[in-house]
Amino acid sequence: MHIGKLIRRKRKSLSLTLQQLASKINSDAGNLSRMERGELGISEALLRKVAAALGSTPALLYAESEYLQPQDSSAETLTATQPSSGHAHAQDFVQWFRSAAPFIHAFGGRTFVIAFGGEVVNEQQFIALSHDLNLLASLEVRLVLVHGARPQIEARLKREKLTPMLHNGLRVTDDAAMEAVKEANGSIRVEIEALLSMGIANSPMAGADIRVASGNFVTAKPLGVLEGVDLQHTGEVRKVDAVGIQKRLDDGEMVLLSPLGYSPTGEAFNLSLEDVAVSSAIALDADKLIFLMDSEGVHNLRGELLREMTAEKAKNLLRNVSETEHAINISEDVIYYLPAAVRACEHGVARTHLISRHIDGAIIQELFTLDGIGTMVTELSLEHMRQATIEDVGGIIKLIEPLENEGILVRRDRERLEMEIKHFYVMEHDNRIIGCAALYPFANEKTAEFACLAIDPAYRGSGRGDKLFDFCASQAKTNGFDSIFCLTTRTEHWFLERGFIEQCIDQLPAQKQQLYNFQRRSKVFKKYLK
């Protein structure tokens, strides 16, 4: 059940109208209605207001929406569907496990930096997270954990009746606040190490032998005075002891870093979670940096969840947010973590993931499924097109075989594909072939046949067929061809919409006329290249 439906259910259980709820949270009833229907994303700030108005919390709402399933009022229906449902679930699991195999092979020996706020420990979410960390460790993933401590520090300041001081989102850490920072970080570190030491039988941690290393791996310097405000013991990362951390990882240990840094003069500094995480990922040349946050990922200004984005696109989004007065679909977490993701990507970290801490198994779902559940930020686009090689034959066969069975494409056996592979072009997404097309040249007539266009069903509907066609047309023009033609039985409108003109068979190149299959009666279309 998506979060909007759950909000609607809770609102009705409290006999609240949309207008009443909107009035309580000072929002627009129309937007609330769209959010409840799942047509519009909900920002973390707005979710907090809605949760408070409904007598709940964002964490509880996320948890309920994840696990609450619609109940069938008919006991007979439930009983009758249980066996087939169980079989379906088993088949789904087998299919998922098989699809996860490439990721399992790819992740062994890789270094992942995983960052999470103090809320994960404060709200008892680290127990579930430790299960996922144990699984990754068992797959020989080298793990560096970076924890935050904001709620724990706030609690200690409140206990001491001290007022938190912030400047542009940074804590002004005076002597009294620094004592609270040290106490909070020490307490969290002990709790995390204790939870990672669990080995209870018949639990996900059974047989776990996790060793946790922590220490003075981060050297820091003071931020000093910003805009006339002395931040005192608040600092920034100066250097990360990558060699020392690598030695611990080589010994099979998990490294735990706190948002604290130390200076050669013996001082300690309060650091931000994202600064420590990004600096560590860069220093270690990590393969992945993962931030666990309150929202499910990055949404565009229309409220749509962005599964992937380049660092350049992320910078454009942040620029648009700064220029937009009411960017309701951008959460506070995204404002902090997205710039950190951009910085990491620009300094060599291959991928940064922004995912929700409220979803059980979020890391596993993000890492071991094709689409993931959050937002992945990369330096360059994951998609590109290139000429095919002999190693691509298997991927091409997988794409075109279903279309051959439907009679849309002419059947090609593996041997023929291997012989003609130099005429094929492929579209890759994250090193996976998702599209292909062929360009057969007829040099004497200065034309080429465009053929065998196929896009993976999971990636259709996003203009990828057009991109692959434009790429092939560009290649044909570069090679000196004046036109391209195609033969089709089922997709004539697709070509007509892209400027092709129907031709007679006798207008085909002579060599192609001799190979024309009169049983298929394919229509001929031609497009002149400008």
Side-chain angles (χ1 to χ4, degrees):
M1 177 182 295
H2 66 68
I3 195 76
K5 285 186 178 179
L6 182 61
I7 290 173
R8 180 183 177 86
R9 175 180 289 189
K10 282 189 168 293
R11 174 177 63 78
K12 288 196 169 185
S13 70
L14 296 174
S15 300
L16 284 174
T17 65
L18 272 171
Q19 287 76 14
Q20 288 172 330
L21 179 58
S23 177
K24 279 177 172 285
I25 64 175
N26 193 26
S27 184
D28 179 72
N31 283 339
L32 280 179
S33 177
R34 292 175 63 198
M35 290 172 191
E36 288 187 349
R37 296 196 303 270
E39 297 174 359
L40 183 67
I42 181 169
S43 68
E44 188 60 31
L46 185 58
L47 181 60
R48 290 180 190 277
K49 293 180 181 179
V50 171
L54 298 177
S56 184
T57 66
L60 289 174
L61 288 177
Y62 273 117
E64 287 185 61
S65 67
E66 181 71 15
Y67 294 111
L68 191 59
Q69 299 295 327
Q71 299 298 314
D72 193 328
S73 59
S74 169
E76 292 181 5
T77 303
L78 180 62
T79 304
T81 58
Q82 275 181 334
S84 59
S85 176
H87 178 71
H89 290 163
Q91 289 301 312
D92 288 344
F93 170 76
V94 171
Q95 185 61 34
W96 172 84
F97 200 75
R98 287 172 177 166
S99 67
F103 301 107
I104 293 172
H105 290 303
F107 293 159
R110 304 288 186 175
T111 300
F112 294 177
V113 176
I114 301 176
F116 50 91
E119 295 86 357
V120 171
V121 178
N122 215 31
E123 298 176 16
Q124 303 298 310
Q125 293 176 323
F126 190 81
I127 296 175
L129 177 59
S130 68
H131 300 162
D132 296 344
L133 298 176
N134 180 37
L135 175 59
L136 291 175
S138 70
L139 296 176
E140 299 184 351
V141 176
R142 297 152 65 92
L143 295 174
V144 177
L145 309 182
V146 183
H147 71 79
R150 185 191 58 79
Q152 290 84 353
I153 294 172
E154 297 290 337
R156 282 161 174 78
L157 291 175
K158 185 176 181 180
R159 185 186 66 194
E160 299 297 327
K161 298 181 180 179
L162 298 172
T163 303
M165 294 181 289
L166 299 174
H167 176 68
N168 288 342
L170 294 171
R171 187 181 300 280
V172 179
T173 313
D174 57 17
D175 291 341
M178 192 63 201
E179 290 304 314
V181 169
K182 291 177 181 178
E183 182 183 342
N185 279 287
S187 175
I188 293 173
R189 181 179 294 182
V190 170
E191 187 168 355
I192 289 175
E193 290 176 352
L195 292 173
L196 288 173
S197 300
M198 288 193 305
I200 302 173
N202 299 322
S203 80
M205 295 296 285
D209 188 22
I210 297 175
R211 294 290 174 265
V212 185
S214 55
N216 57 339
F217 294 114
V218 180
T219 302
K221 61 182 179 181
L223 273 173
V225 179
L226 293 181
E227 299 174 351
V229 178
D230 186 358
L231 298 177
Q232 302 185 49
H233 297 291
T234 298
E236 62 181 342
V237 176
R238 181 179 179 182
K239 181 183 176 183
V240 174
D241 182 9
V243 174
I245 294 175
Q246 293 286 10
K247 287 181 179 178
R248 304 303 191 282
L249 296 175
D250 290 342
D251 289 338
E253 298 179 354
M254 192 180 295
V255 176
L256 176 63
L257 301 178
S258 297
L260 288 172
Y262 309 93
S263 73
T265 59
E267 293 179 88
F269 292 99
N270 180 29
L271 308 176
S272 68
L273 162 69
E274 51 269 27
D275 188 17
V276 175
V278 171
S279 299
S280 302
I282 294 171
L284 295 168
D285 193 21
D287 297 276
K288 288 184 182 293
L289 170 60
I290 301 170
F291 285 110
L292 294 172
M293 57 185 196
D294 282 328
S295 53
E296 60 179 335
V298 181
H299 295 81
N300 60 22
L301 298 182
R302 295 187 300 275
E304 300 163 338
L305 178 63
L306 302 172
R307 296 293 187 188
E308 299 169 5
M309 61 192 316
T310 62
E312 189 62 32
K313 186 175 180 180
K315 287 192 289 187
N316 290 337
L317 178 63
L318 290 169
R319 191 180 303 114
N320 291 336
V321 169
S322 67
E323 296 171 355
T324 304
E325 187 175 354
H326 300 292
I328 63 171
N329 297 307
I330 303 297
S331 70
E332 184 180 357
D333 271 0
V334 170
I335 299 300
Y336 282 114
Y337 292 139
L338 192 54
V342 171
R343 178 188 160 204
C345 289
E346 290 181 338
H347 286 80
V349 178
R351 292 165 192 185
T352 300
H353 302 258
L354 307 180
I355 59 178
S356 173
R357 67 182 176 91
H358 299 290
I359 300 174
D360 185 33
I363 290 180
I364 302 303
Q365 294 184 60
E366 176 70 9
L367 296 180
F368 293 94
T369 59
L370 287 175
D371 294 331
I373 60 166
T375 300
M376 178 167 64
V377 184
T378 60
E379 182 180 6
L380 301 173
S381 175
L382 292 179
E383 284 188 8
H384 69 280
M385 288 166 283
R386 59 173 175 81
Q387 189 163 20
T389 66
I390 195 68
E391 288 79 15
D392 299 320
V393 170
I396 293 173
I397 290 175
K398 187 175 180 181
L399 282 176
I400 66 176
E401 200 169 45
L403 299 176
E404 291 174 345
N405 293 336
E406 293 179 33
I408 297 174
L409 294 180
V410 176
R411 191 170 297 279
R412 293 169 172 82
D413 58 31
R414 189 181 190 94
E415 183 178 358
R416 180 183 171 186
L417 275 174
E418 291 177 354
M419 292 175 62
E420 298 179 349
I421 195 64
K422 64 181 180 180
H423 300 308
F424 275 79
Y425 298 91
V426 294
M427 174 183 282
E428 279 189 324
H429 180 95
D430 199 12
N431 299 318
R432 178 171 177 258
I433 295 176
I434 63 168
C436 70
L439 208 58
Y440 295 99
F442 292 86
N444 293 336
E445 292 85 354
K446 288 190 176 183
T447 189
E449 180 186 6
F450 179 71
C452 207
L453 175 63
I455 301 294
D456 187 309
Y459 294 88
R460 291 175 188 167
S462 301
R464 289 183 171 89
D466 284 300
K467 291 178 182 178
L468 194 49
F469 166 70
D470 290 341
F471 180 77
C472 290
S474 175
Q475 293 295 313
K477 189 174 181 179
T478 300
N479 291 329
F481 298 116
D482 298 330
S483 63
I484 54 178
F485 69 90
C486 68
L487 279 72
T488 181
T489 58
R490 304 270 293 274
T491 57
E492 58 182 282
H493 282 280
W494 192 91
F495 291 102
L496 288 171
E497 291 166 4
R498 283 148 186 85
F500 280 77
I501 302 171
E502 189 169 358
Q503 303 279 296
C504 298
I505 297 171
D506 57 12
Q507 291 178 288
L508 288 171
Q511 184 182 353
K512 187 63 181 179
Q513 289 184 44
Q514 295 174 6
L515 299 173
Y516 182 81
N517 187 337
F518 283 92
Q519 289 184 331
R520 281 180 61 86
R521 298 183 63 185
S522 300
K523 291 186 177 182
V524 180
F525 294 91
K526 188 173 186 177
K527 179 182 176 71
Y528 289 95
L529 301 175
K530 298 179 181 179

